Amino acid sequence: MPSTLRARLSAAVLAASAVTVVAAGCAVGPDTGPDVVRGDNPADTTSQAQRQPTLQAPEHDLNWRSCGNRLTEAYDVEVPDGIVADCATYDMPIDAAADRGDTIRIGVLRARKPTTPKDAPPLVLTSGTDLPSSRTLLALAGGDGAQILDSAPIVAVDFRGTGLGGGVDCLTNAQRKVLSTNAAATGRDVAARATDVGTAARAGADLCTETLSPNQLGFSVDAAAGDLEGLRDRWGVDRLGLIGVGDGSSVALRYAAAHPDKVGRLVLDSPSATTSPRRRLPPRGHAASRSR
């Protein structure tokens, strides 16, 4: 994660302790975006401080365990100096609607300092499928974002099938090698390498579809938002303070659309463009009035 991104995210989250912040990473042209991004409400003269919902410390916390060595093994990075890293997991239905009884384990990382107030309500971070959220949190805690931990811990919830909960591994060794090296073993022929990468990707997609069947649809943004609600329910708190980074912004927005009364803070960094064809954001106005 570039230092400029960490600095920007750090500033946004610090501001969220006093006000609700929804910050887009980029803005092009005169369009300032929908209300959910701008937080416009010209007619409202009530101060931001008066409107802030109260965040709560978990009433029933997860079973945290120190996991510095595990993180080093998983991500080949050391836990930043002065940071306490604790890991936990919790189970969620793969498809709550189907009610087949199948569950999936969700990995969670908590970062704090020895001096972080023990009764401070945690902020919840998601980076979607860009990177495991736990890896994103390590990068944040290793930079300017470490100052956030002076006042509150941050809990990163990994997207299903990634990170600390147990990744979904449905590729063959040969497919994984081709995809991870961009078919470097093929040589310098760019066209041949592109063909090999495309072939491996298609074969891997078919194999993963078979591996995940009948739960292919259980690894979606909607499901990831449901995992955040599962964490809130386990904690026994009224609202979550959410940080969405990159693709995780779509998860945070989907949660806000589904559970507008359960969002106490909403911070977005570098979200997918509102006009992007690859992401369908929640309907405008559904969560905007609730999150402002």
Side-chain angles (χ1 to χ4, degrees):
M1 181 182 292
S3 60
T4 55
L5 180 88
R6 292 197 300 266
R8 189 168 69 251
L9 178 57
S10 173
V13 178
L14 286 174
S17 62
V19 298
T20 301
V21 178
V22 181
C26 300
V28 179
D31 185 5
T32 55
D35 288 350
V36 70
V37 175
R38 292 161 48 200
D40 290 357
N41 198 357
D44 189 357
T45 59
T46 306
S47 71
Q48 290 282 355
Q50 291 176 322
R51 293 185 303 179
Q52 288 305 298
T54 300
L55 296 179
Q56 304 161 294
E59 183 176 349
H60 309 289
D61 213 343
L62 303 178
N63 185 22
W64 298 105
R65 297 178 182 272
S66 177
C67 59
N69 292 337
R70 181 183 176 190
L71 293 169
T72 300
E73 181 180 347
Y75 300 132
D76 196 27
V77 295
E78 299 288 338
V79 175
D81 291 339
I83 302 300
V84 179
D86 304 305
C87 297
T89 60
Y90 61 97
D91 292 338
M92 289 293 295
I94 293 183
D95 186 346
D99 194 25
R100 285 189 291 265
D102 297 333
T103 62
I104 187 168
R105 184 148 293 178
I106 309 300
V108 188
L109 170 65
R110 180 180 65 185
R112 57 188 175 90
K113 292 181 178 180
T115 56
T116 303
K118 293 184 178 180
D119 59 348
L123 300 172
V124 177
L125 181 145
T126 172
S127 53
T129 57
D130 286 341
L131 277 176
S133 302
S134 49
R135 179 64 182 88
T136 301
L137 178 53
L138 286 176
L140 176 66
D144 295 336
Q147 61 187 303
I148 303 167
L149 304 178
D150 291 332
S151 56
I154 299 178
V155 173
V157 180
D158 285 330
F159 198 91
R160 293 182 168 204
T162 70
L164 303 175
V168 174
D169 188 356
C170 49
L171 300 177
T172 66
N173 289 335
Q175 290 167 349
R176 189 179 298 104
K177 183 176 181 179
V178 169
L179 295 174
S180 63
T181 64
N182 286 325
T186 303
R188 296 180 178 274
D189 188 330
V190 175
R193 290 177 64 178
T195 298
D196 287 349
V197 169
T199 300
R202 286 191 297 272
D206 290 341
L207 187 56
C208 286
T209 296
E210 294 179 9
T211 301
L212 298 177
S213 181
N215 298 310
Q216 300 96 319
L217 300 181
F219 296 82
S220 63
V221 170
D222 285 328
D227 294 339
L228 297 181
E229 175 61 7
L231 177 63
R232 186 202 64 78
D233 183 63
R234 280 168 171 77
W235 275 349
V237 299
D238 294 333
R239 299 176 179 85
L240 295 179
L242 295 175
I243 307 170
V245 181
D247 185 71
S249 296
S250 297
V251 178
L253 284 172
R254 194 62 56 86
Y255 181 84
H259 307 282
D261 294 327
K262 306 301 182 184
V263 179
R265 306 290 187 277
L266 182 59
V267 178
L268 306 182
D269 188 279
S270 304
S272 300
T274 56
T275 56
S276 172
R278 65 182 288 266
R279 285 287 182 267
R280 180 176 297 175
L281 299 178
R284 179 177 177 177
H286 182 78
S289 62
R290 300 284 188 169
S291 61
R292 288 201 300 264

